[in-house]
Amino acid sequence: MLLSTMVLVALAAARRHSARGHAQQAHASRQTAEHLRAAYRRAAATPMQALRDQGRALPEAERRIHQATIRAALPEAALRADSSSTKTDALTATLAQAERAGHDLKALLQQAIDMRELDTAEDVNDVLVRRLRRLAQLPAHVGEATRRPKAGTSHPNTSTNRTSNRTKPPSPGIRPVAPTPRNHPPRR
């Protein structure tokens, strides 16, 4: 999400510089946006693949229901050739998670579609997955909701690890240093 926001900021900066006639700054802002998009694609590849795998693992009946919801909600222009059922697996998995969290899928999906236009999106499905996860307050990391400690591993709050989580008292003869105004950056 942070990378996505940074791309939007870079694009806004490019538009601002272009409007003011600052060609070099506008070009640099557009290049920055492209680099951030590339970084986002690399960072999002693994979580999106995990979501696609989860979508494929859903029972066929549940998949068909969610895909029908997607087809009904998306305008015909958004249902391009790249919106095949295999491309919507991540979106299908996200809808299944949102349903388990108790959300009205049609209303939630429509809210995600109405947030902003989808015409300029490189991948409408990925954009909708991000928006739905944010709106439904689903975990940012795909496996986070289902992750549990493995058997035989200790939890950080168990009695065996409590002492390691505590801060150690200062050694005798060493006084803690109080922060001085010189140690802090100036406030703006």
Side-chain angles (χ1 to χ4, degrees):
M1 286 183 154
L2 178 62
L3 284 172
S4 179
T5 303
M6 290 173 67
V7 168
L8 291 175
V9 169
L11 290 173
R15 286 189 188 112
R16 182 175 181 268
H17 288 304
S18 290
R20 294 182 182 222
H22 304 149
Q24 289 178 332
Q25 290 86 347
H27 178 69
S29 295
R30 282 190 292 275
Q31 279 184 319
T32 300
E34 287 306 313
H35 289 298
L36 288 168
R37 280 185 181 134
Y40 169 78
R41 283 191 290 275
R42 283 191 304 275
T46 302
M48 290 303 285
Q49 185 58 48
L51 272 174
R52 286 183 193 102
D53 293 343
Q54 286 180 7
R56 280 186 221 107
L58 289 172
E60 188 59 34
E62 186 177 357
R63 287 185 69 198
R64 274 190 258 125
I65 291 169
H66 293 310
Q67 288 173 354
T69 303
I70 294 166
R71 280 192 304 278
L74 283 174
E76 195 61 37
L79 288 172
R80 297 183 283 235
D82 65 355
S83 294
S84 66
S85 64
T86 58
K87 289 288 267 175
T88 60
D89 286 338
L91 186 54
T92 302
T94 300
L95 286 175
Q97 291 174 7
E99 185 178 48
R100 282 192 292 274
H103 293 280
D104 175 11
L105 297 185
K106 291 177 184 176
L108 188 67
L109 186 56
Q110 193 58 52
Q111 185 180 359
I113 291 168
D114 293 341
M115 284 177 75
R116 275 189 53 208
E117 54 83 27
L118 293 169
D119 298 336
T120 58
E122 286 182 29
D123 190 334
V124 173
N125 296 310
D126 286 358
V127 170
L128 289 175
V129 166
R130 283 195 315 269
R131 289 179 186 178
L132 285 170
R133 295 191 82 72
R134 184 172 52 231
L135 289 171
Q137 298 178 344
L138 296 173
H141 293 88
V142 177
E144 194 171 300
T146 58
R147 210 179 292 155
R148 289 183 174 78
K150 294 180 184 175
T153 60
S154 60
H155 189 270
N157 292 332
T158 59
S159 61
T160 57
N161 288 337
R162 282 197 181 140
T163 56
S164 63
N165 288 339
R166 292 184 190 149
T167 57
K168 294 179 183 178
S171 301
I174 299 176
R175 292 187 356 218
V177 178
T180 62
R182 292 182 306 211
N183 294 345
H184 298 288
R187 291 186 182 179
R188 296 181 185 178

Coordinates of all heavy atoms in Angstrom, one line a residue, residues 120-173:
T120 N -7.5 3.4 -16.1 CA -6.1 3.5 -16.3 C -5.3 2.4 -15.6 O -4.1 2.4 -15.6 CB -5.6 4.8 -15.8 OG1 -6.0 5.0 -14.4 CG2 -6.2 6.0 -16.6
A121 N -6.0 1.5 -14.9 CA -5.3 0.4 -14.1 C -4.7 -0.6 -15.1 O -5.3 -1.0 -16.1 CB -6.3 -0.3 -13.2
E122 N -3.4 -1.0 -14.8 CA -2.8 -2.0 -15.5 C -3.5 -3.3 -15.3 O -3.6 -4.1 -16.3 CB -1.3 -2.1 -15.1 CG -0.4 -1.0 -15.6 CD 1.0 -1.2 -15.2 OE1 1.5 -2.3 -15.0 OE2 1.7 -0.1 -15.0
D123 N -3.9 -3.6 -14.1 CA -4.6 -4.9 -13.8 C -5.8 -4.5 -12.9 O -5.6 -4.3 -11.7 CB -3.7 -5.9 -13.2 CG -4.3 -7.3 -13.1 OD1 -5.5 -7.4 -13.0 OD2 -3.5 -8.3 -13.1
V124 N -7.0 -4.5 -13.4 CA -8.2 -4.2 -12.7 C -8.3 -5.1 -11.5 O -8.7 -4.7 -10.4 CB -9.4 -4.2 -13.6 CG1 -10.7 -4.0 -12.8 CG2 -9.3 -3.1 -14.7
N125 N -8.1 -6.4 -11.7 CA -8.2 -7.3 -10.6 C -7.3 -7.0 -9.4 O -7.7 -7.1 -8.3 CB -8.0 -8.8 -11.1 CG -9.0 -9.2 -12.1 OD1 -10.2 -9.0 -11.9 ND2 -8.5 -9.6 -13.3
D126 N -6.0 -6.7 -9.7 CA -5.1 -6.4 -8.6 C -5.6 -5.1 -7.8 O -5.5 -5.1 -6.6 CB -3.7 -6.2 -9.1 CG -3.0 -7.5 -9.5 OD1 -3.7 -8.6 -9.3 OD2 -1.9 -7.5 -10.0
V127 N -6.0 -4.1 -8.6 CA -6.5 -2.9 -8.0 C -7.7 -3.2 -7.0 O -7.7 -2.7 -5.9 CB -6.9 -1.9 -9.0 CG1 -7.6 -0.7 -8.4 CG2 -5.6 -1.4 -9.8
L128 N -8.6 -4.0 -7.5 CA -9.8 -4.3 -6.7 C -9.4 -5.2 -5.5 O -10.0 -5.0 -4.4 CB -10.8 -5.0 -7.6 CG -11.5 -4.1 -8.6 CD1 -12.5 -4.9 -9.5 CD2 -12.3 -3.0 -7.9
V129 N -8.4 -6.0 -5.7 CA -8.0 -6.8 -4.5 C -7.5 -5.9 -3.4 O -7.8 -6.0 -2.2 CB -6.9 -7.9 -4.9 CG1 -6.2 -8.4 -3.7 CG2 -7.5 -9.0 -5.7
R130 N -6.6 -4.9 -3.8 CA -6.1 -4.0 -2.8 C -7.2 -3.2 -2.1 O -7.2 -3.0 -0.9 CB -5.1 -3.1 -3.5 CG -3.7 -3.7 -3.7 CD -2.7 -2.6 -4.0 NE -3.1 -1.6 -4.9 CZ -2.9 -1.6 -6.2 NH1 -2.4 -2.7 -6.8 NH2 -3.3 -0.6 -7.0
R131 N -8.1 -2.7 -3.0 CA -9.2 -1.9 -2.4 C -10.1 -2.7 -1.5 O -10.4 -2.2 -0.4 CB -10.0 -1.3 -3.6 CG -9.3 -0.2 -4.4 CD -10.2 0.3 -5.5 NE -9.5 1.2 -6.4 CZ -10.0 1.8 -7.4 NH1 -11.3 1.5 -7.8 NH2 -9.3 2.6 -8.2
L132 N -10.4 -3.9 -1.9 CA -11.3 -4.7 -1.1 C -10.6 -5.1 0.2 O -11.3 -5.1 1.3 CB -11.7 -6.0 -1.8 CG -12.7 -5.8 -2.9 CD1 -12.8 -7.1 -3.8 CD2 -14.1 -5.5 -2.4
R133 N -9.4 -5.4 0.2 CA -8.7 -5.8 1.4 C -8.6 -4.6 2.4 O -8.8 -4.8 3.6 CB -7.3 -6.3 1.1 CG -7.3 -7.6 0.3 CD -5.9 -8.2 0.3 NE -5.6 -9.0 1.5 CZ -6.2 -10.1 1.8 NH1 -7.1 -10.7 1.0 NH2 -5.9 -10.8 2.9
R134 N -8.5 -3.4 1.9 CA -8.5 -2.2 2.7 C -9.9 -1.9 3.2 O -10.0 -1.7 4.4 CB -7.9 -1.0 1.9 CG -7.8 0.2 2.8 CD -7.1 1.4 2.1 NE -7.6 1.7 0.8 CZ -6.9 1.8 -0.3 NH1 -5.6 1.6 -0.3 NH2 -7.5 2.0 -1.5
L135 N -10.9 -1.9 2.4 CA -12.3 -1.7 2.8 C -12.8 -2.7 3.8 O -13.5 -2.3 4.8 CB -13.2 -1.6 1.6 CG -13.0 -0.4 0.7 CD1 -13.9 -0.7 -0.6 CD2 -13.5 0.8 1.3
A136 N -12.5 -4.0 3.6 CA -13.0 -5.0 4.5 C -12.1 -5.2 5.7 O -12.4 -6.1 6.5 CB -13.0 -6.3 3.7
Q137 N -11.0 -4.4 5.7 CA -10.0 -4.5 6.8 C -9.5 -5.9 7.0 O -9.4 -6.5 8.1 CB -10.6 -4.0 8.1 CG -11.0 -2.6 8.1 CD -11.7 -2.1 9.4 OE1 -12.1 -2.8 10.2 NE2 -11.7 -0.8 9.5
L138 N -9.2 -6.5 5.8 CA -8.6 -7.9 5.8 C -7.1 -7.7 6.0 O -6.5 -6.6 5.7 CB -8.8 -8.6 4.5 CG -10.3 -8.9 4.2 CD1 -10.4 -9.4 2.8 CD2 -10.8 -9.8 5.2
P139 N -6.4 -8.7 6.6 CA -4.9 -8.6 6.8 C -4.2 -8.3 5.5 O -4.5 -8.8 4.4 CB -4.5 -9.9 7.4 CG -5.7 -10.7 7.6 CD -6.9 -10.0 7.0
A140 N -3.2 -7.4 5.6 CA -2.4 -7.1 4.4 C -1.6 -8.3 3.9 O -1.5 -8.5 2.7 CB -1.4 -6.0 4.7
H141 N -1.1 -9.1 4.8 CA -0.4 -10.4 4.4 C -1.4 -11.5 4.3 O -2.2 -11.7 5.2 CB 0.7 -10.7 5.4 CG 1.8 -9.7 5.4 ND1 1.8 -8.6 6.2 CD2 2.9 -9.6 4.6 CE1 2.8 -7.8 5.9 NE2 3.6 -8.4 5.0
V142 N -1.4 -12.2 3.2 CA -2.4 -13.2 2.9 C -2.6 -14.2 3.9 O -3.7 -14.5 4.3 CB -2.0 -13.8 1.5 CG1 -3.0 -14.9 1.2 CG2 -2.0 -12.8 0.4
G143 N -1.5 -14.8 4.4 CA -1.6 -15.9 5.4 C -1.8 -15.5 6.8 O -1.9 -16.3 7.7
E144 N -1.8 -14.2 7.1 CA -1.8 -13.6 8.4 C -3.0 -14.1 9.3 O -2.8 -14.4 10.4 CB -1.7 -12.1 8.3 CG -1.4 -11.4 9.6 CD -1.1 -9.9 9.4 OE1 -0.3 -9.6 8.6 OE2 -1.9 -9.1 10.0
A145 N -4.1 -14.1 8.7 CA -5.3 -14.4 9.4 C -5.4 -15.9 9.8 O -5.9 -16.3 10.8 CB -6.6 -14.1 8.6
T146 N -4.8 -16.8 9.0 CA -4.8 -18.2 9.3 C -3.6 -18.7 10.0 O -3.5 -19.9 10.3 CB -5.1 -19.0 8.0 OG1 -4.0 -18.7 7.1 CG2 -6.4 -18.6 7.4
R147 N -2.6 -17.9 10.1 CA -1.3 -18.4 10.6 C -1.4 -18.6 12.1 O -1.9 -17.8 12.9 CB -0.2 -17.3 10.4 CG 1.1 -17.9 10.2 CD 2.1 -16.8 10.0 NE 1.9 -16.2 8.7 CZ 2.3 -15.0 8.4 NH1 2.8 -14.2 9.2 NH2 2.0 -14.5 7.2
R148 N -1.0 -19.8 12.6 CA -1.0 -20.1 14.0 C 0.4 -20.7 14.4 O 1.1 -21.2 13.5 CB -2.1 -21.2 14.3 CG -3.4 -20.6 14.2 CD -4.5 -21.7 14.6 NE -5.8 -21.2 14.6 CZ -6.6 -20.9 13.6 NH1 -6.1 -21.1 12.4 NH2 -7.8 -20.5 13.7
P149 N 0.8 -20.5 15.6 CA 2.1 -21.1 16.0 C 2.1 -22.6 15.8 O 1.1 -23.3 16.0 CB 2.2 -20.8 17.5 CG 1.2 -19.7 17.8 CD 0.2 -19.8 16.7
K150 N 3.2 -23.1 15.3 CA 3.3 -24.6 15.1 C 3.4 -25.3 16.4 O 3.9 -24.8 17.4 CB 4.5 -24.9 14.3 CG 4.4 -24.3 12.9 CD 5.7 -24.7 12.1 CE 5.6 -24.0 10.7 NZ 6.9 -24.2 10.0
A151 N 2.9 -26.6 16.4 CA 3.0 -27.4 17.6 C 4.5 -27.5 18.0 O 5.3 -27.8 17.2 CB 2.4 -28.7 17.4
G152 N 4.7 -27.4 19.3 CA 6.1 -27.6 19.8 C 6.9 -26.3 19.9 O 7.9 -26.3 20.5
T153 N 6.4 -25.2 19.3 CA 7.1 -23.9 19.4 C 6.5 -23.1 20.5 O 5.3 -23.2 20.7 CB 7.0 -23.1 18.0 OG1 5.7 -22.9 17.7 CG2 7.7 -23.9 16.9
S154 N 7.3 -22.4 21.1 CA 6.8 -21.6 22.2 C 6.4 -20.2 21.7 O 7.0 -19.7 20.8 CB 7.8 -21.5 23.3 OG 9.0 -20.8 22.8
H155 N 5.4 -19.7 22.3 CA 4.9 -18.3 22.0 C 5.7 -17.3 22.8 O 6.1 -17.6 24.0 CB 3.4 -18.3 22.4 CG 2.7 -17.1 21.9 ND1 2.7 -15.9 22.7 CD2 2.1 -16.8 20.8 CE1 2.0 -15.0 22.0 NE2 1.7 -15.5 20.9
P156 N 5.9 -16.1 22.3 CA 6.7 -15.1 23.1 C 6.2 -14.8 24.4 O 6.9 -14.3 25.3 CB 6.6 -13.8 22.2 CG 6.3 -14.3 20.8 CD 5.5 -15.6 21.0
N157 N 4.9 -15.0 24.7 CA 4.4 -14.7 26.0 C 4.3 -15.9 27.0 O 3.7 -15.8 28.0 CB 2.9 -14.1 25.9 CG 3.0 -12.7 25.2 OD1 4.0 -12.0 25.3 ND2 1.9 -12.4 24.5
T158 N 4.9 -17.0 26.6 CA 4.9 -18.1 27.5 C 5.9 -17.9 28.6 O 6.8 -17.1 28.5 CB 5.2 -19.4 26.8 OG1 6.5 -19.3 26.2 CG2 4.1 -19.7 25.7
S159 N 5.8 -18.7 29.7 CA 6.7 -18.4 30.8 C 8.1 -18.7 30.5 O 9.0 -18.1 31.1 CB 6.2 -19.3 32.0 OG 6.3 -20.7 31.6
T160 N 8.4 -19.5 29.5 CA 9.8 -19.8 29.2 C 10.5 -18.6 28.6 O 11.7 -18.5 28.6 CB 10.0 -21.0 28.3 OG1 9.2 -20.8 27.1 CG2 9.5 -22.3 29.0
N161 N 9.7 -17.8 27.9 CA 10.3 -16.6 27.2 C 10.1 -15.3 27.9 O 10.5 -14.3 27.4 CB 9.8 -16.6 25.8 CG 10.3 -17.7 24.9 OD1 11.4 -18.2 25.2 ND2 9.6 -18.0 23.9
R162 N 9.4 -15.3 29.0 CA 9.1 -14.0 29.6 C 10.3 -13.2 30.0 O 10.4 -12.0 29.9 CB 8.2 -14.2 30.8 CG 6.8 -14.5 30.4 CD 5.8 -14.3 31.5 NE 4.5 -14.6 31.0 CZ 3.6 -15.2 31.6 NH1 3.8 -15.7 32.8 NH2 2.4 -15.4 31.1
T163 N 11.3 -13.9 30.5 CA 12.5 -13.2 31.0 C 13.3 -12.6 29.8 O 13.9 -11.5 30.0 CB 13.5 -14.1 31.8 OG1 13.8 -15.3 30.9 CG2 12.8 -14.6 33.1
S164 N 13.2 -13.2 28.6 CA 14.0 -12.6 27.5 C 13.3 -11.4 27.0 O 13.9 -10.6 26.3 CB 14.1 -13.7 26.4 OG 12.8 -14.0 25.9
N165 N 12.0 -11.2 27.3 CA 11.3 -10.0 26.7 C 11.4 -8.8 27.7 O 11.0 -7.7 27.3 CB 9.8 -10.4 26.6 CG 9.6 -11.3 25.4 OD1 10.4 -11.4 24.5 ND2 8.4 -12.0 25.4
R166 N 11.9 -9.0 28.9 CA 12.0 -7.9 29.8 C 13.3 -7.1 29.5 O 14.3 -7.7 29.0 CB 12.1 -8.4 31.2 CG 10.8 -9.0 31.7 CD 10.9 -9.4 33.2 NE 9.8 -10.2 33.5 CZ 9.8 -11.2 34.5 NH1 10.9 -11.4 35.1 NH2 8.7 -11.8 34.7
T167 N 13.2 -5.9 29.9 CA 14.4 -5.0 29.7 C 15.3 -5.3 30.9 O 14.8 -5.5 32.0 CB 14.1 -3.5 29.6 OG1 13.4 -3.2 30.8 CG2 13.3 -3.3 28.3
K168 N 16.6 -5.3 30.7 CA 17.6 -5.5 31.8 C 17.8 -4.2 32.6 O 17.8 -3.2 32.0 CB 18.9 -6.0 31.2 CG 18.8 -7.3 30.5 CD 20.2 -7.7 30.0 CE 20.1 -9.0 29.2 NZ 21.3 -9.4 28.6
P169 N 17.9 -4.3 33.9 CA 18.2 -3.1 34.7 C 19.6 -2.6 34.3 O 20.5 -3.4 33.9 CB 18.1 -3.6 36.1 CG 18.3 -5.1 36.0 CD 17.8 -5.5 34.7
P170 N 19.8 -1.3 34.4 CA 21.1 -0.8 34.1 C 22.2 -1.3 35.1 O 21.9 -1.6 36.2 CB 20.9 0.8 34.3 CG 19.7 1.0 35.0 CD 18.9 -0.3 34.9
S171 N 23.3 -1.5 34.5 CA 24.5 -2.0 35.4 C 24.8 -0.9 36.4 O 24.6 0.3 36.2 CB 25.7 -2.2 34.5 OG 25.4 -3.1 33.5
P172 N 25.3 -1.4 37.6 CA 25.6 -0.5 38.7 C 26.7 0.5 38.2 O 27.6 0.1 37.5 CB 26.1 -1.3 39.8 CG 26.0 -2.8 39.4 CD 25.5 -2.8 38.0
G173 N 26.6 1.8 38.5 CA 27.6 2.8 38.2 C 27.3 3.4 36.8 O 28.0 4.4 36.5

